[in-house]
Amino acid sequence: MSDLQPVDLRRVRVGIELDNRIAYYEGLNIKASGTKYANPLQNDCDVTIMGLSMATRDRILTDASPFAKTKTPRRLILDVGRDSYGFFRVFVGDITSATPTSPPDVALNIKAKTENAQAMVVASISGGPISKLSSIAQQIAQQLGVGLLMEAQNKSIANWSYTGPALKLVKRLAEMGGVSAYIDDDLLVVKDAKAAVRGAMRILTLDSGLVGIPKATEKGLDVTFLIDRETRLGGTLRLDSKQNKALNGDYKIDQLKFDVATHDEPFFYQAQCSRL
């Protein structure tokens, strides 16, 4: 009997939403990279797809053009995973550009940012003399068309009001003192600034995907590891390194870079973390 273990093949799938219809593309040569932030900065993603038919490529270029007449959402969705457990979502955002690459390898390059369509929307929101933080967060989530994960202390806010670009609502929410607010794909997360998202723990060892040697930073940790479905922006990363034991412990994930490819080596997360 052979001792060889079957290879758990990686999977990468790109979804493109145009005119309220989503088309998924898998089995092609796909590269994707981007950064997600546990703060009001917009998450970003850059995807290159090779192997699309000319008709499909032309349709995407036309419908995703900034000059397209349609006002429906134009979104990019990135799912990755393994054969053993399927896909999980890495990124959702609004398409900001779609361009063809130069010959001979004709490919399609798509860039996207989280909630970018809200940059041109003017929002006007106000509460009573006293409003609960949870009520304000729910108003903002509804305005942005996302779900809400409310884990911050539900303090009272006096004379809440805002008029301006809808995209800056998250920044305004994060300025309330002791609060961390950010968009994670299609979810508004509101939590206490020094706390991690509850129930989100990634235990990182050499056997569970750690790549290279973890590095200390001013706030905590910079570490690279194989992409997985347990890691969550704003969640806890528990490091158990044999090569740098001084850094072992629990950290909060403040920034999460991803770099994946179907026909190349990258399939990693790189996390910037602060010590808990």
Side-chain angles (χ1 to χ4, degrees):
M1 181 180 296
S2 174
D3 293 329
L4 295 177
Q5 297 295 322
V7 177
D8 194 5
L9 297 176
R10 64 178 68 175
R11 300 180 68 181
V12 179
R13 179 176 69 181
V14 173
I16 299 176
E17 180 180 1
L18 302 168
D19 293 329
N20 293 317
R21 293 178 295 179
I22 301 177
Y24 285 98
Y25 302 95
E26 186 186 359
L28 303 173
N29 188 337
I30 299 173
K31 296 180 180 180
S33 61
T35 307
K36 303 173 74 172
Y37 305 92
N39 60 48
L41 290 175
Q42 290 174 272
N43 302 338
D44 61 80
C45 183
D46 189 328
V47 171
T48 299
I49 310 175
M50 296 180 63
L52 293 171
S53 68
M54 182 178 294
T56 299
R57 192 168 62 246
D58 289 345
R59 180 179 60 82
I60 294 173
L61 288 170
T62 300
D63 292 347
S65 166
F67 305 108
K69 295 181 180 180
T70 178
K71 296 186 181 298
T72 55
R74 300 172 299 169
R75 298 202 304 167
L76 176 73
I77 300 167
L78 177 64
D79 297 331
V80 305
R82 298 279 185 178
D83 275 348
S84 60
Y85 56 76
F87 290 106
F88 61 92
R89 190 135 296 171
V90 172
F91 177 87
V92 176
D94 296 323
I95 295 173
T96 59
S97 69
T99 56
T101 63
S102 300
D105 296 326
V106 179
L108 186 64
N109 179 252
I110 304 173
K111 298 181 185 294
K113 289 188 175 183
T114 302
E115 293 296 315
N116 198 69
Q118 296 291 338
M120 303 302 293
V121 176
V122 176
S124 182
I125 300 177
S126 61
I130 300 293
S131 300
K132 287 294 187 181
L133 180 61
S134 59
S135 175
I136 295 171
Q138 186 61 56
Q139 284 182 291
I140 293 174
Q142 290 176 351
Q143 173 67 49
L144 297 177
V146 297
L148 174 65
L149 176 63
M150 177 68 189
E151 293 191 352
Q153 181 181 354
N154 196 18
K155 56 187 177 181
S156 298
I157 308 297
N159 300 316
W160 155 259
S161 66
Y162 174 85
T163 299
L167 187 60
K168 294 187 177 181
L169 278 165
V170 179
K171 181 180 179 181
R172 180 66 184 276
L173 185 60
E175 292 172 347
M176 296 200 175
V179 173
S180 175
Y182 57 94
I183 300 289
D184 185 7
D185 297 330
D186 53 2
L187 190 69
L188 172 62
V189 179
V190 184
K191 63 180 184 62
D192 295 325
K194 295 183 179 181
V197 173
R198 293 193 288 268
M201 169 77 76
R202 173 68 160 101
I203 300 175
L204 187 57
T205 68
L206 186 62
D207 294 332
S208 66
L210 178 63
V211 176
I213 300 175
K215 300 176 182 178
T217 65
E218 291 182 1
K219 293 184 177 181
L221 180 70
D222 183 339
V223 63
T224 300
F225 50 99
L226 293 177
I227 201 165
D228 68 283
R229 57 182 176 173
E230 284 81 28
T231 301
R232 181 168 183 177
L233 184 67
T236 301
L237 186 146
R238 177 170 293 170
L239 178 66
D240 183 6
S241 171
K242 296 180 179 179
Q243 294 176 306
N244 197 345
K245 295 183 178 181
L247 295 180
N248 288 348
D250 288 357
Y251 297 83
K252 174 168 59 71
I253 301 174
D254 299 322
Q255 178 181 300
L256 199 58
K257 294 183 179 181
F258 55 89
D259 190 3
V260 299
T262 55
H263 294 65
D264 208 342
E265 180 181 350
F267 208 66
F268 305 126
Y269 274 140
Q270 181 183 353
Q272 296 279 346
C273 310
S274 54
R275 189 91 181 200
L276 287 172

Short mmCIF file of all heavy atoms in Angstrom, two decimals, residues 9-12 25-32 48-51 259-267:
data_model
loop_
_atom_site.label_atom_id
_atom_site.label_comp_id
_atom_site.label_asym_id
_atom_site.label_seq_id
_atom_site.Cartn_x
_atom_site.Cartn_y
_atom_site.Cartn_z
N LEU A 9 -5.90 19.87 -3.80
CA LEU A 9 -5.69 20.91 -4.80
C LEU A 9 -6.37 22.22 -4.42
O LEU A 9 -7.47 22.23 -3.86
CB LEU A 9 -6.21 20.43 -6.16
CG LEU A 9 -5.51 19.20 -6.76
CD1 LEU A 9 -6.21 18.79 -8.05
CD2 LEU A 9 -4.04 19.50 -7.01
N ARG A 10 -5.70 23.32 -4.75
CA ARG A 10 -6.25 24.65 -4.51
C ARG A 10 -7.33 24.97 -5.54
O ARG A 10 -7.33 24.45 -6.66
CB ARG A 10 -5.14 25.71 -4.58
CG ARG A 10 -4.50 25.82 -5.94
CD ARG A 10 -3.44 26.90 -6.01
NE ARG A 10 -2.26 26.59 -5.22
CZ ARG A 10 -1.16 27.32 -5.20
NH1 ARG A 10 -1.08 28.43 -5.94
NH2 ARG A 10 -0.13 26.98 -4.47
N ARG A 11 -8.24 25.86 -5.15
CA ARG A 11 -9.30 26.30 -6.06
C ARG A 11 -9.41 27.82 -5.97
O ARG A 11 -9.34 28.40 -4.88
CB ARG A 11 -10.64 25.65 -5.69
CG ARG A 11 -10.63 24.13 -5.77
CD ARG A 11 -11.97 23.53 -5.40
NE ARG A 11 -12.99 23.84 -6.39
CZ ARG A 11 -14.26 23.44 -6.28
NH1 ARG A 11 -14.64 22.73 -5.22
NH2 ARG A 11 -15.14 23.75 -7.20
N VAL A 12 -9.58 28.45 -7.11
CA VAL A 12 -9.75 29.89 -7.18
C VAL A 12 -10.90 30.18 -8.14
O VAL A 12 -10.94 29.65 -9.25
CB VAL A 12 -8.47 30.61 -7.68
CG1 VAL A 12 -8.71 32.12 -7.75
CG2 VAL A 12 -7.28 30.29 -6.78
N TYR A 25 -16.17 32.38 -12.82
CA TYR A 25 -15.15 31.84 -13.72
C TYR A 25 -14.16 31.04 -12.89
O TYR A 25 -13.54 31.54 -11.95
CB TYR A 25 -14.45 32.98 -14.46
CG TYR A 25 -15.42 33.82 -15.26
CD1 TYR A 25 -15.96 34.99 -14.73
CD2 TYR A 25 -15.84 33.44 -16.54
CE1 TYR A 25 -16.86 35.76 -15.45
CE2 TYR A 25 -16.74 34.20 -17.26
CZ TYR A 25 -17.25 35.35 -16.71
OH TYR A 25 -18.15 36.10 -17.42
N GLU A 26 -14.02 29.77 -13.25
CA GLU A 26 -13.13 28.84 -12.54
C GLU A 26 -12.44 27.96 -13.57
O GLU A 26 -12.93 27.78 -14.69
CB GLU A 26 -13.93 27.99 -11.55
CG GLU A 26 -13.08 27.10 -10.67
CD GLU A 26 -13.90 26.17 -9.80
OE1 GLU A 26 -15.15 26.23 -9.86
OE2 GLU A 26 -13.28 25.39 -9.05
N GLY A 27 -11.31 27.39 -13.20
CA GLY A 27 -10.59 26.50 -14.10
C GLY A 27 -9.73 27.25 -15.11
O GLY A 27 -9.20 26.63 -16.04
N LEU A 28 -9.60 28.56 -14.93
CA LEU A 28 -8.77 29.37 -15.80
C LEU A 28 -7.47 29.75 -15.07
O LEU A 28 -7.30 29.45 -13.89
CB LEU A 28 -9.53 30.64 -16.21
CG LEU A 28 -10.88 30.43 -16.89
CD1 LEU A 28 -11.59 31.76 -17.09
CD2 LEU A 28 -10.71 29.71 -18.22
N ASN A 29 -6.58 30.40 -15.80
CA ASN A 29 -5.35 30.91 -15.18
C ASN A 29 -5.69 32.24 -14.50
O ASN A 29 -5.93 33.25 -15.16
CB ASN A 29 -4.28 31.11 -16.26
CG ASN A 29 -2.93 31.45 -15.66
OD1 ASN A 29 -2.83 31.93 -14.54
ND2 ASN A 29 -1.86 31.20 -16.42
N ILE A 30 -5.74 32.22 -13.16
CA ILE A 30 -6.18 33.38 -12.39
C ILE A 30 -5.12 33.75 -11.37
O ILE A 30 -4.58 32.89 -10.67
CB ILE A 30 -7.51 33.09 -11.65
CG1 ILE A 30 -8.62 32.78 -12.67
CG2 ILE A 30 -7.92 34.27 -10.77
CD1 ILE A 30 -9.92 32.32 -12.03
N LYS A 31 -4.83 35.04 -11.28
CA LYS A 31 -3.97 35.59 -10.24
C LYS A 31 -4.73 36.69 -9.54
O LYS A 31 -5.42 37.49 -10.19
CB LYS A 31 -2.67 36.15 -10.82
CG LYS A 31 -1.77 35.12 -11.49
CD LYS A 31 -0.50 35.77 -12.03
CE LYS A 31 0.40 34.75 -12.70
NZ LYS A 31 1.64 35.38 -13.24
N ALA A 32 -4.60 36.75 -8.21
CA ALA A 32 -5.31 37.78 -7.46
C ALA A 32 -4.49 38.18 -6.25
O ALA A 32 -3.87 37.34 -5.59
CB ALA A 32 -6.69 37.29 -7.03
N THR A 48 -6.19 39.17 -12.32
CA THR A 48 -5.88 38.97 -13.74
C THR A 48 -6.37 37.58 -14.14
O THR A 48 -6.04 36.59 -13.50
CB THR A 48 -4.37 39.08 -14.00
OG1 THR A 48 -3.92 40.39 -13.63
CG2 THR A 48 -4.06 38.86 -15.47
N ILE A 49 -7.18 37.54 -15.21
CA ILE A 49 -7.77 36.28 -15.69
C ILE A 49 -7.32 36.04 -17.12
O ILE A 49 -7.51 36.89 -18.00
CB ILE A 49 -9.30 36.33 -15.65
CG1 ILE A 49 -9.82 36.79 -14.30
CG2 ILE A 49 -9.89 34.95 -15.98
CD1 ILE A 49 -11.33 36.96 -14.24
N MET A 50 -6.74 34.86 -17.36
CA MET A 50 -6.37 34.43 -18.71
C MET A 50 -7.28 33.28 -19.14
O MET A 50 -7.70 32.48 -18.30
CB MET A 50 -4.91 33.99 -18.76
CG MET A 50 -3.91 35.09 -18.45
SD MET A 50 -2.20 34.50 -18.52
CE MET A 50 -2.10 34.03 -20.25
N GLY A 51 -7.58 33.21 -20.43
CA GLY A 51 -8.37 32.10 -20.93
C GLY A 51 -9.81 32.42 -21.20
O GLY A 51 -10.58 31.54 -21.61
N ASP A 259 -2.55 36.82 -1.54
CA ASP A 259 -1.86 36.64 -2.83
C ASP A 259 -2.09 35.20 -3.25
O ASP A 259 -1.56 34.27 -2.63
CB ASP A 259 -0.37 36.94 -2.67
CG ASP A 259 0.36 37.01 -4.01
OD1 ASP A 259 -0.30 36.88 -5.05
OD2 ASP A 259 1.59 37.18 -4.00
N VAL A 260 -2.90 35.00 -4.30
CA VAL A 260 -3.25 33.65 -4.73
C VAL A 260 -3.09 33.54 -6.24
O VAL A 260 -3.17 34.52 -6.97
CB VAL A 260 -4.70 33.29 -4.33
CG1 VAL A 260 -4.88 33.32 -2.83
CG2 VAL A 260 -5.71 34.21 -5.01
N ALA A 261 -2.86 32.32 -6.69
CA ALA A 261 -2.72 32.05 -8.13
C ALA A 261 -3.04 30.58 -8.37
O ALA A 261 -2.77 29.72 -7.53
CB ALA A 261 -1.31 32.37 -8.61
N THR A 262 -3.62 30.30 -9.54
CA THR A 262 -3.95 28.92 -9.89
C THR A 262 -2.76 28.20 -10.50
O THR A 262 -2.62 26.99 -10.35
CB THR A 262 -5.11 28.89 -10.90
OG1 THR A 262 -4.77 29.71 -12.03
CG2 THR A 262 -6.39 29.41 -10.27
N HIS A 263 -1.90 28.93 -11.22
CA HIS A 263 -0.81 28.30 -11.95
C HIS A 263 0.56 28.81 -11.51
O HIS A 263 1.51 28.81 -12.27
CB HIS A 263 -0.98 28.54 -13.46
CG HIS A 263 -2.17 27.88 -14.06
ND1 HIS A 263 -3.46 28.21 -13.73
CD2 HIS A 263 -2.27 26.88 -14.99
CE1 HIS A 263 -4.30 27.46 -14.42
NE2 HIS A 263 -3.61 26.65 -15.20
N ASP A 264 0.64 29.26 -10.27
CA ASP A 264 1.90 29.78 -9.76
C ASP A 264 1.98 29.46 -8.28
O ASP A 264 1.05 28.91 -7.69
CB ASP A 264 1.99 31.29 -10.01
CG ASP A 264 3.42 31.79 -10.14
OD1 ASP A 264 4.32 31.05 -9.71
OD2 ASP A 264 3.62 32.90 -10.65
N GLU A 265 3.08 29.84 -7.64
CA GLU A 265 3.32 29.47 -6.25
C GLU A 265 2.42 30.17 -5.24
O GLU A 265 1.97 29.55 -4.28
CB GLU A 265 4.79 29.76 -5.89
CG GLU A 265 5.14 29.41 -4.45
CD GLU A 265 6.59 29.73 -4.13
OE1 GLU A 265 7.36 30.03 -5.05
OE2 GLU A 265 6.93 29.69 -2.93
N PRO A 266 2.12 31.46 -5.37
CA PRO A 266 1.42 32.18 -4.30
C PRO A 266 0.08 31.57 -3.92
O PRO A 266 -0.75 31.26 -4.78
CB PRO A 266 1.23 33.58 -4.88
CG PRO A 266 2.32 33.73 -5.88
CD PRO A 266 2.48 32.36 -6.48
N PHE A 267 -0.13 31.40 -2.63
CA PHE A 267 -1.42 31.02 -2.05
C PHE A 267 -1.36 31.36 -0.57
O PHE A 267 -1.56 30.52 0.30
CB PHE A 267 -1.67 29.52 -2.26
CG PHE A 267 -3.14 29.16 -2.32
CD1 PHE A 267 -3.94 29.62 -3.36
CD2 PHE A 267 -3.72 28.37 -1.35
CE1 PHE A 267 -5.27 29.29 -3.43
CE2 PHE A 267 -5.06 28.03 -1.41
CZ PHE A 267 -5.84 28.48 -2.45
#
